[in-house]
Amino acid sequence: MSTAIIQTLDTPDGAFTILEREGLVEASGWTADHAALLARLAAARRPDAVVEGDTEAAAAVAAYYAGDATAIDAVPVRQHGTALQRAGWEALRGISPGQPLTYTAFAARLGNPRAVRVAASICARNAPALFVPCHRVLRSDGTLGGFAWGLEVKRSLLDRESRFALSRTAS
């Protein structure tokens, strides 16, 4: 039987819930609705049981919101998908805070700049939001595009990371 730990934290962007199993974040997002978070996982990949508790990833979320946009980088995640999806999720983790990419540029990182819809699909299927920063991908005209947790949250994250990047270059 597989049991996962779920924890909801208060953040400046609202409630943020983490689902962690065996020390790996499998899903996370800006909601207090545990069912909505579990729905981000394929039915066959959902844990048999979920208990409320403290996750290992919570400290990284607190550090991120305290100003360390790189705190999320080392948090281990587990995602299930095709080889291309897994490569895409790994590539998302390589996008630096404050330096968002367009879907076209993200597709180019995956080896096919014309595969914009594939790039968008990889972002849409990303379950451990924040830790795999799909919010760092924008439309080619610079607009936000979509985000499972709302465009207000996406804008807030990008603004926060932009300020972080500016403060790093100023030091």
Side-chain angles (χ1 to χ4, degrees):
M1 179 164 135
S2 71
T3 301
I5 298 170
I6 199 162
Q7 181 179 14
T8 301
L9 310 167
D10 290 324
T11 75
D13 294 317
F16 182 79
T17 300
I18 304 164
L19 180 78
E20 195 175 270
R21 189 169 18 175
E22 299 168 350
L24 304 169
V25 174
E26 293 186 354
S28 54
W30 289 266
T31 182
D33 182 346
H34 295 178
L37 191 70
L38 282 166
R40 301 285 298 162
L41 299 174
R45 300 291 183 187
R46 292 181 191 145
D48 299 317
V50 177
V51 297
E52 291 192 37
D54 294 329
T55 60
E56 294 176 25
V61 174
Y64 174 87
Y65 277 102
D68 182 0
T70 62
I72 59 173
D73 295 348
V75 172
V77 300
R78 176 172 29 223
Q79 291 177 281
H80 301 280
T82 67
L84 180 59
Q85 287 171 326
R86 290 191 312 272
W89 294 323
E90 188 61 34
L92 286 170
R93 294 194 94 178
I95 301 172
S96 298
Q99 299 178 355
L101 296 178
T102 64
Y103 286 104
T104 303
F106 178 53
R109 280 198 181 185
L110 299 176
N112 187 351
R114 296 167 53 110
V116 175
R117 287 185 184 197
V118 171
S121 175
I122 287 168
C123 290
R125 286 179 167 69
N126 177 44
L130 186 62
F131 305 106
V132 178
C134 58
H135 64 274
R136 294 180 186 160
V137 183
L138 308 171
R139 288 183 174 156
S140 55
D141 65 0
T143 58
L144 296 179
F147 189 58
W149 306 107
L151 295 183
E152 286 182 27
V153 172
K154 185 172 183 172
R155 169 56 53 213
S156 176
L157 296 170
L158 291 170
D159 288 349
R160 178 175 286 102
E161 292 176 0
S162 177
R163 289 190 305 271
F164 171 78
L166 285 174
S167 70
R168 288 190 65 162
T169 41
S171 6

